[in-house]
Amino acid sequence: MTSMTMLEAINATLRDEMARDDRVLLLGQDVAQLGGVFRATEGLLERFGPDRVVDMPLAEAVIVGAAIGLAAAGLVPVAEMQFLGFSHQAFHQIGAQLARMRYRSQGRFPMPVVLRAPFGGGVRTPELHSEALEAQFVQSPGLQVVMPATAADAKGLLQTAIRQPDPVLFCEPLRGYRLVRDEVPDGDAPVPFGTARVAREGDDVTIIAWSAAVHVARRAADRLAEENISAAVLDLRTLVPLDEAGILDAVAATGRAVVVHEAPFTGGFGAEVVATISDGAFYSLEAPVARVCPPDTPYPAGKIEDYYLPSVERVVAAARATVKAP
Amino acid sequence: MTALSPQFLPEHGAAVPRSVLLPDGTPRPGVVPSLDDDQVVAALELMLLSRAFDEKAFSLQRQGRFGTFSPVHGQEASVVGSAFAVEPGHDWIVPQYRELPALLRHGLPLESFMQTFMGDPRGGAIPPGVNLLPIQIGLAAQLPQAVGLAWGRRLRGDDAVVLVYVGDGASSEGDFHEACNLAGVLRAPVVFLLQNNGWAISTPRSRQSAAATLAARAPGYGFPGVLVDGNDLLAVHAVVAEAVTRARAGDGPTLVESLTYRVGAHNTADDPSRYVPGDALREWQERDPLSRVRGYLRARGSWDDEREIHAAERIRARIDAAVRVVESTPPPGAPALFDHVSAQLSDRQRRQRADLLAQPETT
Ligand SMILES: Cc1ncc(C[n+]2csc(CCOP(=O)(O)OP(=O)(O)O)c2C)c(N)n1
């Protein structure tokens, strides 16, 4: 085990995967010479050379489209969207092309492509840099959507993402890049997709979250413990594939659930989680499932960002209300 | 069919940029300046304001009083020269994000610009009669919008011209191609001002396009491309003024590639010493656009140390006053999340708003 920030874990994993498999190459804006605007790819140009760490022209669609072609040619591209907010410029290549290429070619062209994309709020970015767009991608069957919350999972999930044959959108919470630090297993430790992680045990209520919201949920659980409410925290880790059994077991165990995310309420992935619970754990529920997430408004400017994002206080209040419900 | 004779070999693009002033400010023999001395003085003062604001913004940012900001440093002639070629209140400017002096010239209050970069959504308000679209963070997205705006103004029967800014990096986006293509098809009254400042964050111009110049793309869309010395206020003004005249006369769009250099950092979060070669930087620092205008005006007896000092004082006072106004404005509250989202909030949004305001932390 080594203590690492999330950023260090991502950088080290990219390095190790490139050393392990010479088909792996990185492409994106400012990834080579600069090492990425967050330094996630720092040192990799020097180590692997300009054929494997490539600064691309400023166009997201050509980055994803070229990654599709590279994969068809037998390579394993790991492309960076400088910010998830700018993946819209490539959406037609992601949803309509990357996700469907295996299907369209009836298996001839699997797409071992990873799109890494920082996202998420709380750091007072300029416009369009913070949006949590994950729900927009889960409607692209064929694409897997991966949302690590810890440094260890960033490594384990990225190893899996690069090694398995299908396309992955790998969302990295930029607020956690340097703030999140934990013990990362050395060597090979791939984390299978579709396995939620119990981030905290608890008996009274299950808080379900992913990415940076997991840390909000954990702090809320600490707070709830002071009120003698024992909250479990379930970190979904991957939205597609979804660990249905993990969700249903965790909710059945407490009979109460709160879902927390950074994307707007309507059509947020929380709605999918609630529907999954309703389908599979309805008769274990003691109370309606609560959602703590931003309102249906555009991602706001920095001065009002804290009103928008799910806060520890709001998660505590929702969990408390859920537990007190008849 | 005749054999294809390529007209736009890469070498053809390596044309000499249009220039009016030599680096010391001496006009090239025989060229008639397109701005009179009062206008050039006004332009210089705006350039000085821009330079002073860059410094202020950096220092405020370091103190945690300002957000991520992209300075204009080095590009003042390119931005101001072009902005002086359109008419505030009649023509339109569609910015990227590095064109503060053009926005000011067109009527945006400095306070609004500052509010935006201090994370206050109310900074987005564009006063009535100020013909600007909002600054654009989603690179190149402004370009198709600018073409639509130019087209729409023509449909509405006025002869307004749209001046739209784009960086060399952003010009690699599909939106750039699609906008130029449509503008050519419609002969839209739009001027594309492509500021080639050598860099898109750390990515050099050479990684954006193999073409010798970016202006050379224009003939492919069926309209002219012009290369201009972007550190030469009078050259930029002359070229853009010609393009505006063409556009207004119904002769269609022009792509102006303004050759300049990002002398400072990409933004307050960037460390250019990691990638910008020192030689190039020094070379461009010697071609400072402000010194050139100063030299020109001094030789004509229209600028001196005393004027410079007075201008600096006025500028400092204006910036300090704006900082005071903005910093003493009460911050927006939670309800601002919902302001201007739609003409009418839905029932669901109203409920969300009420729920939010009922939280202890938001009151
Ligand atoms: C669509 C999109 N992709 C990526 C970014 C991130 N980004 C912000 S500025 C920038 C470089 C822009 O370069 P250029 O267009 O040359 O303008 P300059 O900053 O040099 O003025 C990048 C990549 C963005 N804002 N929008």
Side-chain angles (χ1 to χ4, degrees), chain B residues 46 70 86 175 192 197 242 260:
Chain B
L46 190 51
S70 293
V86 288
D175 274 352
F192 297 97
N197 67 2
E242 284 165 30
T260 180

Side-chain angles (χ1 to χ4, degrees), chain A residues 16-84:
Chain A
D16 294 348
E17 291 302 297
M18 292 182 79
R20 185 186 57 77
D21 181 348
D22 64 12
R23 297 170 310 157
V24 177
L25 81 170
L26 308 185
L27 48 153
Q29 294 159 7
D30 306 293
V31 295
Q33 190 67 35
L34 186 64
V37 288
F38 293 103
R39 313 287 182 260
T41 52
E42 172 133 63
L44 301 180
L45 171 68
E46 293 75 2
R47 168 100 188 252
F48 298 104
D51 283 346
R52 296 187 63 198
V53 186
V54 187
D55 275 333
M56 293 288 280
L58 207 169
E60 290 73 14
V62 89
I63 293 172
V64 179
I68 293 171
L70 286 162
L75 291 136
V76 179
V78 179
E80 180 177 295
M81 299 282 95
Q82 199 163 77
F83 290 89
L84 183 62

Side-chain angles (χ1 to χ4, degrees), chain B residues 51 71-76 78 98 168 195-199 204-205 229-231 258-265 272 275-285 287-289:
Chain B
R51 184 73 58 94
V72 188
H73 194 157
Q75 300 176 222
E76 293 91 347
S78 173
R98 203 189 289 281
D168 49 302
Q195 293 203 76
N196 174 0
N197 67 2
W199 299 94
R205 152 66 183 86
D229 178 344
N231 284 22
S258 173
L259 271 176
T260 180
Y261 206 76
R262 198 195 73 206
V263 171
Y275 56 84
V276 173
D279 306 352
L281 192 61
R282 273 186 296 282
E283 190 188 312
W284 280 92
Q285 274 163 341
R287 284 150 72 175
D288 181 53

Side-chain angles (χ1 to χ4, degrees), chain A residues 30 34 39 42 54-55 57-60 82 127 129 265-266 295-298 300-304 307 311 313-314, chain B residues 118-119 137-139 169 172-173 200-203 207-208 274 333-334 337-338 341 348-349 352 356 359 361-362:
Chain A
D30 306 293
L34 186 64
R39 313 287 182 260
E42 172 133 63
V54 187
D55 275 333
L58 207 169
E60 290 73 14
Q82 199 163 77
E127 222 186 338
H129 288 66
F265 179 84
T266 299
D296 293 328
T297 61
K303 276 198 180 3
I304 49 174
Y307 298 128
S311 62
E313 290 76 12
R314 265 182 263 169
Chain B
M118 289 171 161
I137 301 295
L139 291 167
S172 295
E173 288 280 4
I201 310 185
S202 74
T203 308
R207 288 257 0 134
Q208 299 296 347
R274 293 171 67 104
L337 289 175
F338 295 83
V341 172
R348 175 174 267 196
Q349 284 169 314
Q352 292 171 346
L356 190 65
Q359 302 284 336
E361 43 177 314
T362 51

Side-chain angles (χ1 to χ4, degrees), chain B residues 203-259:
Chain B
T203 308
R205 152 66 183 86
S206 57
R207 288 257 0 134
Q208 299 296 347
S209 167
T213 75
L214 301 175
R217 293 166 172 172
Y221 299 114
F223 55 82
V226 189
L227 198 60
V228 64
D229 178 344
N231 284 22
D232 180 342
L233 176 83
L234 290 175
V236 175
H237 179 265
V239 164
V240 177
E242 284 165 30
V244 168
T245 304
R246 264 177 48 81
R248 220 185 292 289
D251 294 333
T254 306
L255 172 62
V256 177
E257 177 181 357
S258 173
L259 271 176

